[in-house]
Amino acid sequence: MSKATIEKISNLCKRRGFIFQSSELYNGINGFWDYGPNGVAMRRALEQAWWNYMVEARDNVEGQDSTIICHPQVWKASGHVDQFADIMVDNKISKKRFRIDNLLEQQSPEVLQALADSFETEADVAKLEASFETQVEQKTELVKVILNDCKVIDPSTKKPGDWTEPKQFNLMMQTYVGPVFDEDHKAYLRAETCQPIFINFHTIATSMRQKVPFGIAQTGKAFRNEINPRNFTFRSREFSQMEMEFFCHEEEAMDWYNYWRDERLKFYKDVLNFRPEATRTHDHEKLAHYAKAAMDIEFEFPFGWGELEGIHHRGTWDLSQHAEHSKQKLEYFDQARNERYIPTVIETSVGLDRLMLAILCHAYDEDEAETQKEGKETDVRVVLRLPAVVAPVQVAVLPLSKKLSESSEKIHKDLQKNFRSAHDVTQAIGRRYRRQDEIGTPLCVTYDFDSEEDNCVTVRDRDTMTQERISLDELQGYIFNKLNA
RNA sequence: GCGAGUGUAGCUCAAUGGUAGAGCAUCACCUUGCCAAGGUGAAUGUCGAGGGUUCGAGUCCCUUCACUCGCUCCA
């Protein structure tokens, strides 16, 4: 049972320079988070671990880095502009909020007819929804009156609601390209990193002489106007994704789907050392209309199970959409099969910030340690049992006394060439060990008064708190082996 | 957006309407000192912001901002 709570994690993250509220000086901004020195070190290491595993170690996956702002048509083609915009309305009596399309679907024919009469249209959900959209765009007060006059039912109470003015919720963030802010210059910040992969598919296949099946990976920022950001960094409005789109022939798609699912599970197990019970897989019961198969890899956060990664069989939907909207042929000619087709896509998509949070929750531990504090035998030790590959500091060099700091700094400088090393000279040694435990440093190297004589240092292990005397000549190799164990 | 809650030192939190505090953390010095050790000292605040009531407001009232939790949303 994990001892982590979101409150403890977020406190530790702030106290130790991992993650804190963005723009705190101005009271913060909801859904945006900054990474401090330890947070950014860990995040870069994690991103690099993913990149190495998914791109660098493979011949059939290429990398790319696209712009955050793309041609607005990209997001119309992908369906985001439509699907990310909903009209919402609140019932003041039940305090519930509804999407107008969901609400319309649950009305009786009488109510629908009354609405249709008011809008001078037909009693059809799609047509009524279109009427609502027009009215809401024109910001008329009429809609609220109509909702209430037609006695639209609240599905949760089965009674007419006291409806507020419907509002348009846009989940895509908007901006303007060029100095003139009008409709013609409207653009979107990308809501996911995968669309720019789809539109670059042919350019990359050609330039890298790749043949299907092959993949393209990208990491980077994505933006969504989440209605309600919650649970620390779990749902943020600006976040990073690590996505890979694998293009293959439809006949092989399920095999590749299974292959990538297994690869991704292996990543969590072998690279990040997740305990088996920390994650689970969850097959989607309701598939998006274009999807053939979809599953999530979930992690048990202190607030419950949450999605870390999605593995999706997207069919030919995305490339077909872009082919249609761009009026370009996005077919691939497969020489081996002597066949022309739109490749099928298998996607792996993980949230970098969510994964950071999961790793922190997974690593958080409290144990009992002996103390020399007066009146106490043991004390609670807070320790992050981070895998060495992502630990912000991999080794800390600590002189037993400040007088020894000249020699210890030389060791630190030497270790810095190969590892993320820190040098800490202030305060009692025990306190420094505890500080390093809290940021998850796997190894501490202590230089003492004997070191001058015997050319040896003490290496202390974070998890066992045991110490070993190591010759300075063997130190680099010893640390390398321990960190890669 | 609705409802509830919270804003005081870096953190956790005190303070009947009457001089803003503690613990921890931080920093400096001392200590041949290996697990938040001991000692001496230091720094730290527009009490979220604005207005009002009062002789006097961190405390009461109003407004506002931000955050947290619940509802809605989460392809």
Side-chain angles (χ1 to χ4, degrees):
Chain A
M1 198 57 191
S2 173
K3 289 163 184 163
T5 67
I6 280 295
E7 201 185 352
K8 283 183 191 173
I9 299 282
S10 62
N11 278 344
L12 175 63
C13 281
K14 187 181 175 188
R15 198 154 40 83
R16 291 299 182 197
F18 282 90
I19 306 170
F20 41 84
Q21 179 68 215
S22 170
S23 310
E24 243 181 352
L25 191 61
Y26 293 98
N27 284 323
I29 173 163
N30 200 358
F32 294 86
W33 300 91
D34 286 349
Y35 285 76
N38 285 324
V40 71
M42 181 174 160
R43 205 175 109 124
R44 279 170 173 261
L46 176 57
E47 190 177 335
Q48 175 53 33
W50 183 90
W51 190 259
N52 177 263
Y53 186 89
M54 295 296 287
V55 183
E56 292 171 345
R58 297 171 198 272
D59 298 318
N60 61 349
V61 177
E62 303 287 350
Q64 77 158 38
D65 190 11
S66 81
T67 55
I68 284 168
I69 294 170
C70 298
H71 194 290
Q73 282 294 330
V74 171
W75 304 105
K76 293 213 170 72
S78 70
H80 283 84
V81 172
D82 288 336
Q83 284 174 40
F84 264 40
D86 295 312
I87 295 172
M88 308 284 284
V89 62
D90 296 329
N91 178 7
K92 283 194 247 177
I93 300 168
S94 68
K95 316 273 183 228
K96 299 257 163 126
R97 170 177 291 166
F98 297 93
R99 261 166 57 181
I100 204 88
D101 54 334
N102 286 350
L103 194 60
L104 290 172
E105 277 164 15
Q106 302 189 59
Q107 299 304 314
S108 66
E110 292 77 28
V111 173
L112 288 180
Q113 189 55 53
L115 287 167
D117 293 344
S118 304
F119 284 123
E120 295 173 0
T121 182
E122 294 165 42
D124 171 78
V125 169
K127 288 195 172 150
L128 285 170
E129 198 187 334
S131 301
F132 272 106
E133 270 169 28
T134 312
Q135 295 291 334
V136 169
E137 264 170 37
Q138 291 168 0
K139 295 188 166 57
T140 58
E141 298 266 317
L142 193 66
V143 191
K144 179 180 166 182
V145 178
I146 291 175
L147 279 171
N148 288 304
D149 284 358
C150 295
K151 303 213 183 307
V152 168
I153 301 293
D154 180 328
S156 72
T157 59
K158 315 281 181 211
K159 289 175 187 162
D162 179 5
W163 301 104
T164 61
E165 192 62 38
K167 290 208 168 134
Q168 179 82 48
F169 278 57
N170 293 301
L171 267 53
M172 287 276 282
M173 285 203 195
Q174 291 181 6
T175 186
Y176 296 91
V177 173
V180 179
F181 284 17
D182 60 23
E183 277 297 302
D184 293 342
H185 295 86
K186 197 156 87 179
Y188 304 95
L189 308 190
R190 68 182 175 204
E192 56 184 26
T193 53
C194 67
Q195 293 304 326
I197 291 179
F198 297 131
I199 61 177
N200 288 340
F201 163 71
H202 271 279
T203 308
I204 288 174
T206 307
S207 61
M208 300 312 288
R209 300 175 4 267
Q210 280 285 6
K211 293 186 175 70
V212 168
F214 81 100
I216 302 174
Q218 168 159 243
T219 68
K221 294 277 192 176
F223 302 81
R224 299 178 192 184
N225 267 322
E226 297 289 352
I227 296 172
N228 209 342
R230 278 296 152 85
N231 291 325
F232 196 29
T233 57
F234 183 78
R235 176 163 295 124
S236 304
R237 288 184 168 138
E238 175 177 337
F239 59 100
S240 285
Q241 291 184 309
M242 305 191 288
E243 295 194 294
M244 193 277 307
E245 307 298 325
F246 197 80
F247 302 88
C248 58
H249 190 278
E250 194 199 347
E251 282 174 7
E252 299 173 350
M254 276 317 291
D255 291 340
W256 283 112
Y257 175 81
N258 291 328
Y259 169 81
W260 285 111
R261 177 198 60 205
D262 294 344
E263 283 296 289
R264 294 307 303 150
L265 289 169
K266 223 165 85 188
F267 177 79
Y268 292 104
K269 183 170 150 282
D270 294 348
V271 179
L272 298 179
N273 297 331
F274 273 12
R275 292 181 290 271
E277 72 275 13
T279 58
R280 71 179 185 194
T281 58
H282 173 246
D283 289 316
H284 285 206
E285 285 153 26
K286 237 174 78 180
L287 294 174
H289 60 279
Y290 52 81
K292 299 277 186 339
M295 54 110 55
D296 296 334
I297 299 173
E298 298 181 331
F299 178 85
E300 190 171 23
F301 290 95
F303 50 80
W305 289 93
E307 182 187 343
L308 265 193
E309 171 152 2
I311 318 243
H312 301 256
H313 181 319
R314 297 179 71 103
T316 57
W317 196 78
D318 299 281
L319 286 177
S320 303
Q321 283 294 110
H322 288 300
E324 190 189 323
H325 280 75
S326 66
K327 300 188 174 62
Q328 305 282 320
K329 274 189 190 161
L330 292 185
E331 287 179 333
Y332 169 81
F333 181 65
D334 190 325
Q335 288 187 314
R337 292 174 181 267
N338 194 27
E339 189 187 336
R340 198 176 290 278
Y341 57 88
I342 292 183
T344 289
V345 169
I346 306 298
E347 170 185 273
T348 74
S349 169
V350 53
L352 174 54
D353 307 84
R354 280 186 181 184
L355 186 50
M356 280 286 290
L357 184 59
I359 294 171
L360 288 166
C361 292
H362 187 262
Y364 185 90
D365 197 14
E366 291 166 5
D367 62 9
E368 298 254 308
E370 286 181 21
T371 184
Q372 293 189 357
K373 271 185 178 173
E374 279 177 14
K376 277 172 123 180
E377 300 239 320
T378 60
D379 205 4
V380 175
R381 179 178 78 124
V382 173
V383 53
L384 292 185
R385 304 192 193 277
L386 294 173
V389 65
V390 300
V393 176
Q394 295 176 304
V395 55
V397 183
L398 316 171
L400 200 51
S401 159
K402 231 178 233 181
K403 291 169 189 154
L404 301 166
S405 56
E406 212 173 296
S407 304
S408 62
E409 190 173 5
K410 278 186 196 144
I411 297 171
H412 159 64
K413 282 287 161 202
D414 219 28
L415 288 174
Q416 221 167 22
K417 292 171 193 161
N418 296 312
F419 310 103
R420 291 189 290 276
S421 174
H423 188 228
D424 189 358
V425 302
T426 62
Q427 299 187 323
I429 188 74
R431 191 170 299 205
R432 281 179 275 162
Y433 283 145
R434 291 293 202 272
R435 272 206 289 257
Q436 295 299 331
D437 289 341
E438 262 198 334
I439 64 167
T441 306
L443 298 173
C444 291
V445 170
T446 306
Y447 190 91
D448 61 26
F449 290 94
D450 296 336
S451 301
E452 306 272 82
E453 311 299 325
D454 66 3
N455 215 34
C456 285
V457 288
T458 307
V459 180
R460 179 261 197 186
D461 181 277
R462 173 194 69 200
D463 296 325
T464 61
M465 291 194 274
T466 53
Q467 296 173 311
E468 213 172 327
R469 197 78 181 158
I470 303 293
S471 155
L472 278 174
D473 303 333
E474 296 163 12
L475 186 62
Q476 296 262 4
Y478 177 87
I479 290 171
F480 182 85
N481 289 335
K482 285 280 266 186
L483 294 183
N484 290 290

